[in-house]
Amino acid sequence: MIRSFVTLAATLNLSHAVKDLGSTRQTVRRHISHLEASMGEPLFQVEDRRYQLSPLGKAVLPSAKDILARGVLWLNGQSRSVGQLQQLHASADDWDFYQQQQPLGLIWNDSSVLLRETFRAWSMASGEIESPLFAHVRPYLIIYRQSDVGWICVEFGQKSVYVNWFGQDYARSSIGRPISKMPAGEEFSHLIYEAFDEVQAAQMVRLDHVFTRMPRSDSEGLAPVAYQRLMLSGFFPDRSSAVMSLVVPVHDVKIAGLDLSKVEGLDPVEMIDIPLSEARFESMLRDA
């Protein structure tokens, strides 16, 4: 029933929804009727056979997509909880993607000064991207803005791993583009990108360890990479929402169940860190 609702909401055309679902008009109508009866209000407004989401339909659609995505990935064995934190994984042809959320306490035990410095700068700047307190770590970040087509990249820091990985020209050409969809299906992509919405909605920070295979600009095929990603909510000067992402390559990626043979031969991405002389908050604490 939920899939019928989500599909009809996407197409707003009963015939198209029936075709996408491989179902019948009667079945889709029955599913929608059952949902509306349970909720006590219509999910759609229909005029001259044209469907439009009702106020209730618009309100419940995001949670319906989330339930559907989580259910599909759970059934496929692609999503589980590890210590109450989310883990996702998928494979397609020669591509792999593993993501495991980490407790934020790992930041303080990590060898990366940049990871700790970015977290402290974000806190001191109250999430304000243009704050002088944030300026020294900003060159290492990728910054995203929310738009009608989802989260789009608006800035690649000159010292970010993305620039190191793909090169300045490629990074510059990616500005303004929505985040690419994963090759593992719509439901998997939904949960990956949902992290952006959650970070901004809760105005919080999230730490993940990721193992995947990515193309290099100077070679063919996919190379294995492992990194930790710190996502931070933020605001532009006009108070519009932003999400900032710090990616730090690692060799000891912490992902339960990851086949260690996959980690062998990690691409030698240049490790990045901020010089201690530039880490104003780290230096201040060490001198205290």
Side-chain angles (χ1 to χ4, degrees):
M1 287 192 291
I2 295 176
R3 186 180 293 278
S4 292
F5 167 57
V6 170
T7 304
L8 184 55
T11 62
L12 295 177
N13 183 292
L14 184 59
S15 297
H16 292 169
V18 167
K19 182 179 179 180
D20 290 347
L21 291 165
S23 185
T24 65
R25 300 171 73 91
Q26 292 79 5
T27 299
V28 174
R29 285 198 183 107
R30 184 173 67 253
H31 287 170
I32 300 302
S33 295
H34 284 329
L35 290 173
E36 291 178 335
S38 296
M39 295 186 175
E41 294 182 39
L43 295 169
F44 294 94
Q45 297 169 342
V46 185
E47 294 183 8
D48 297 328
R49 299 183 181 180
R50 295 180 180 177
Y51 283 77
Q52 294 293 332
L53 282 167
S54 69
L56 175 64
K58 292 178 181 178
V60 302
L61 181 58
S63 57
K65 289 181 176 179
D66 186 56
I67 292 169
L68 182 61
R70 291 180 185 276
V72 169
L73 296 191
W74 181 78
L75 285 172
N76 293 340
Q78 295 175 296
S79 174
R80 64 171 177 157
S81 293
V82 177
Q84 304 302 312
L85 297 175
Q86 182 192 64
Q87 186 193 81
L88 300 172
H89 76 271
S91 299
D93 298 325
D94 59 346
W95 174 82
D96 290 296
F97 186 92
Y98 291 77
Q99 175 179 293
Q100 184 167 319
Q101 189 176 5
Q102 303 291 329
L104 287 176
L106 285 183
I107 292 175
W108 311 120
N109 300 320
D110 196 87
S111 60
S112 172
V113 174
L114 179 59
L115 201 65
R116 294 191 297 275
E117 186 71 8
T118 301
F119 182 85
R120 290 180 177 125
W122 170 81
S123 178
M124 295 298 293
S126 301
E128 299 284 353
I129 292 176
E130 299 294 342
S131 170
L133 296 171
F134 207 64
H136 63 303
V137 297
R138 184 168 175 174
Y140 298 91
L141 304 180
I142 304 171
I143 301 178
Y144 300 88
R145 179 190 289 273
Q146 202 168 28
S147 73
D148 292 338
V149 295
W151 290 94
I152 61 173
C153 178
V154 296
E155 181 179 319
F156 287 104
Q158 296 298 310
K159 298 179 181 179
S160 68
V161 166
Y162 193 94
V163 171
N164 173 264
W165 183 263
F166 289 107
Q168 181 61 50
D169 291 341
Y170 188 93
R172 189 181 296 114
S173 68
S174 298
I175 292 177
R177 294 181 182 176
I179 304 173
S180 300
K181 287 190 175 182
M182 297 282 186
E186 184 174 345
E187 289 85 5
F188 191 82
S189 295
H190 172 81
L191 285 194
I192 291 293
Y193 306 139
E194 186 185 50
F196 284 78
D197 296 328
E198 290 180 348
V199 165
Q200 182 51 42
Q203 297 182 21
M204 66 177 190
V205 177
R206 171 174 169 147
L207 179 66
D208 291 282
H209 278 205
V210 177
F211 169 83
T212 188
R213 298 181 186 275
M214 296 175 61
R216 288 298 297 260
S217 59
D218 57 355
S219 64
E220 297 181 357
L222 301 177
V225 293
Y227 57 87
Q228 50 188 334
R229 181 189 64 192
L230 183 66
M231 299 175 67
L232 313 105
S233 66
F235 300 96
F236 292 99
D238 63 358
R239 303 304 296 173
S240 58
S241 299
V243 167
M244 298 164 282
S245 175
L246 171 68
V247 173
V248 178
V250 293
H251 293 298
D252 57 340
V253 62
K254 296 178 175 62
I255 298 178
L258 175 62
D259 185 350
L260 294 181
S261 65
K262 292 180 178 290
V263 184
E264 295 176 358
L266 283 175
D267 200 83
V269 181
E270 181 181 346
M271 296 297 173
I272 63 169
D273 212 340
I274 188 171
L276 189 57
S277 60
E278 298 177 13
R280 56 192 297 185
F281 302 116
E282 181 87 6
S283 298
M284 183 169 46
L285 288 170
R286 292 193 181 193
D287 293 340

